[in-house]
Amino acid sequence: MPERRTVALVTLGCARNEVDSEELAGRLAADGWDLVEDASDADVAVVNTCGFVEAAKKDSVDALLEANDLKDHGRTQAVVAVGCMAERYGKELAEALPEADGVLGFDDYADISDRLQTILSGGVHASHTPRDRRKLLPISPAERQAAEVALPGHAQDAQDSAPADLPEGVAPASGPRAPLRRRLETSPVASVKLASGCDRRCSFCAIPSFRGSFISRRPSDVLGETRWLAEQGVKEVMLVSENNTSYGKDLGDIRLLETLLPELAAVDGLERIRVSYLQPAEMRPGLIDVLTSTEKVAPYFDLSFQHSAPGVLRAMRRFGDTDRFLELLETIRSKAPQAGARSNFIVGFPGETEDDVAELERFLTGARLDAIGVFGYSDEDGTEAATYEDKLDPETVAERLAHISRLAEELTAQRAEERIGETIEVMVDRVDEEDGVVGRAAHQAPETDGQVLLGTRPELVPGRMVVAKVVASEGVDLIAEPLGDGGCTEEAGR
């Protein structure tokens, strides 16, 4: 019997990329590849790249170069780039980075096994010429569901249906747009895609050009994948897309998320549902009600504010202002006082004035956000903002970035301190010798929003839900003591 082919998936970027990697893993496992964790143990190292901002692109290139080094002293024979950077630059990336033996775009995902086998055998797969993927789908959202376009996270057609003899741990395709999937880690938390692409035209963002227009997954497929994840031991599901507030608009029901969330929360074995990537301008009273009142749905609001000065927001092709944003947060907290809120902001945008920075400071000070990401503006290829003339010099951008970042650090630490005395439900993520039991409350998403330290508790294992009282804070992190018999909820103890 010939030796089985081995492949390792190295994932960079956001939670959406993590889902894409697990889709590729499912396809490869179904076609007989052995998946290994360490790239040095793999015949092929597949790097799922991020193409969002310069720092992320640099990290992706570094990961490809690091994987290429393994070819000199490990098992690795080929290094392949996939993901957003590969899709966005195609031939250009292949020419600039000859260390990559292949650069595969989204159109290659359905045939990923054949592509890797060709490259591993010494063949060449021609890299694609990038194109604006928004043009691949109909302008009318209602007509997009029937389009046969490669969409990571969506199976393409009947030929993508699952084989009858799937390997253990691979999710069956549950519908016409449900992908194969294989988990790449044992965390009690997993992401599920609600949709792909984006119809917004923010002047600073290139994502729609290489991710395409917005298209929802059918509720039955989202439910089917969520049930499978629960069967695999997942206790918390995070719903991801470029814009979750638009979910259902191409299915004829912009309020579809409000009906889907209670169904997801009812899935056996799940303890928490979390929704990410919400657009403030699209928040609806009904959605706020569901997010703040549905059992097992975290009252968590990952709101994409980006700025709060009206002039800057208009230049960004966005809507809102400081007072409207504060009013939105007040509405949320009037329904769920402990609700979590986080956002990202861009400083140094073309034309931004000192008064605009002061307005942003006013918003941040009043918003009481649990987590704040701050980025300095930089031009992105193909965006409208890259053509703007009133650019700020790099020194000014760096100064404003440092200033707002310091303020954000102070404000989020204050917000964490405000939570001392609260009773919270903590999902245990891991147990290690240095930190003891580590988990997250409802206001803390994985990896981005801080954590809860529960001390040394032998009875607490990953996936348990613990009721605890916050007794102290360290920056954005909370220190809490489990209540009662280990603090475990009735549901978590079943």
Side-chain angles (χ1 to χ4, degrees):
M1 178 180 291
E3 187 174 5
R4 288 174 66 88
R5 304 161 296 178
T6 57
V7 59
L9 285 146
V10 180
T11 307
L12 295 94
C14 64
R16 300 184 295 274
N17 252 20
E18 294 172 7
V19 177
D20 292 350
S21 285
E22 293 195 349
E23 175 189 345
L24 293 173
R27 292 180 182 277
L28 290 166
D31 201 48
W33 291 74
D34 284 338
L35 292 139
V36 296
E37 292 185 14
D38 194 329
S40 64
D41 296 328
D43 297 319
V44 184
V46 177
V47 179
N48 192 350
T49 61
C50 178
F52 182 37
V53 293
E54 285 303 319
K57 286 183 275 190
K58 181 181 182 303
D59 289 343
S60 295
V61 171
D62 289 345
L64 287 163
L65 293 174
E66 182 177 342
N68 182 69
D69 289 342
L70 297 174
K71 291 192 288 187
D72 294 330
H73 50 267
R75 173 171 177 158
T76 309
Q77 301 172 51
V79 176
V80 176
V82 298
C84 290
M85 189 175 179
E87 174 62 40
R88 185 176 182 183
Y89 295 105
K91 286 183 177 180
E92 181 182 342
L93 177 62
E95 292 169 359
L97 198 70
E99 290 86 353
D101 299 287
V103 174
L104 305 181
F106 298 151
D107 292 329
D108 294 307
Y109 280 23
D111 300 309
I112 186 66
S113 180
D114 290 342
R115 299 287 187 265
L116 296 190
Q117 186 58 57
T118 295
I119 293 168
L120 186 60
S121 301
V124 176
H125 178 71
S127 301
H128 66 285
T129 299
R131 52 184 172 169
D132 188 337
R133 295 191 72 85
R134 290 172 292 193
K135 299 179 180 179
L136 302 182
L137 289 166
I139 294 176
S140 170
E143 298 175 3
R144 293 174 188 164
Q145 288 289 324
E148 294 188 2
V149 175
L151 301 167
H154 308 238
Q156 288 174 260
D157 52 41
Q159 293 180 348
D160 268 347
S161 60
D165 54 346
L166 280 175
E168 183 178 355
V170 176
S174 59
R177 285 189 180 273
L180 294 174
R181 181 168 179 175
R182 182 186 187 277
R183 295 212 71 203
L184 291 174
E185 55 181 57
T186 58
S187 166
V189 186
S191 295
V192 172
K193 274 194 178 181
L194 272 183
S196 295
C198 186
D199 285 343
R200 301 184 71 87
R201 294 295 179 263
C202 302
S203 63
F204 56 84
C205 184
I207 289 176
S209 66
F210 56 85
R211 277 287 185 180
S213 297
F214 185 89
I215 182 167
S216 303
R217 292 182 66 196
R218 290 180 173 86
S220 58
D221 290 338
V222 176
L223 274 165
E225 187 170 331
T226 300
R227 291 190 183 104
W228 175 79
L229 287 168
E231 292 168 0
Q232 302 298 304
V234 169
K235 298 298 182 181
E236 178 177 331
V237 162
M238 185 163 71
L239 303 179
V240 300
S241 74
E242 279 72 22
N243 177 11
N244 281 335
T245 35
S246 283
Y247 179 69
K249 73 175 187 179
D250 52 321
L251 295 172
D253 186 0
I254 190 60
R255 295 176 177 81
L256 197 54
L257 184 55
E258 286 95 302
T259 57
L260 176 61
L261 284 171
E263 295 183 74
L264 292 171
V267 170
D268 287 343
L270 285 188
E271 297 292 344
R272 181 183 285 159
I273 305 292
R274 184 184 302 277
V275 184
S276 60
Y277 304 114
L278 301 169
Q279 287 291 339
E282 298 181 34
M283 289 301 295
R284 308 175 288 277
L287 180 56
I288 294 174
D289 287 343
V290 171
L291 288 170
T292 55
S293 65
T294 307
E295 185 179 2
K296 295 190 178 181
V297 173
Y300 174 79
F301 293 81
D302 176 14
L303 295 159
S304 178
F305 289 122
Q306 302 300 342
H307 212 284
S308 73
V312 176
L313 287 168
R314 301 306 173 268
M316 289 179 170
R317 304 298 182 204
R318 296 179 66 82
F319 306 95
D321 56 45
T322 295
D323 293 332
R324 275 189 277 184
F325 290 163
L326 291 176
E327 182 179 350
L328 172 60
L329 291 169
E330 178 59 31
T331 298
I332 291 167
R333 289 173 177 141
S334 70
K335 297 176 182 295
Q338 292 188 8
R342 67 143 6 252
S343 192
N344 294 325
F345 299 87
I346 298 172
V347 295
F349 194 79
E352 182 189 63
T353 66
E354 291 289 350
D355 286 344
D356 294 330
V357 176
E359 185 68 1
L360 177 58
E361 290 180 34
R362 182 169 81 88
F363 171 68
L364 292 174
T365 302
R368 296 169 57 232
L369 299 174
D370 292 282
I372 299 171
V374 188
F375 301 88
Y377 173 81
S378 61
D379 287 339
E380 279 296 312
D381 299 336
T383 62
E384 180 185 354
T387 68
Y388 290 175
E389 295 181 354
D390 48 351
K391 305 278 178 60
L392 304 182
D393 62 80
E395 292 78 13
T396 299
V397 175
E399 289 172 3
R400 292 181 181 179
L401 174 61
H403 171 65
I404 296 298
S405 295
R406 286 193 298 270
L407 176 64
E409 186 174 351
E410 294 171 6
L411 292 172
T412 51
Q414 289 175 16
R415 178 67 183 126
E417 191 173 354
E418 290 178 11
R419 291 191 178 273
I420 295 175
E422 288 185 357
T423 298
I424 57 177
E425 287 192 337
V426 182
M427 173 69 69
V428 176
D429 278 342
R430 70 179 195 279
V431 180
D432 59 45
E433 293 183 2
E434 182 178 350
D435 296 321
V437 179
V438 181
R440 292 168 298 99
H443 69 278
Q444 297 169 317
E447 301 181 5
T448 60
D449 300 342
Q451 58 192 13
V452 180
L453 305 177
L454 294 169
T456 302
R457 294 276 180 163
E459 73 277 13
L460 300 183
V461 296
R464 295 295 292 267
M465 188 73 88
V466 182
V467 177
K469 183 176 182 178
V470 181
V471 297
S473 63
E474 294 180 354
V476 297
D477 297 336
L478 303 179
I479 299 171
E481 294 180 353
L483 298 176
D485 183 17
C488 297
T489 64
E490 181 182 350
E491 292 83 359
R494 284 187 296 194

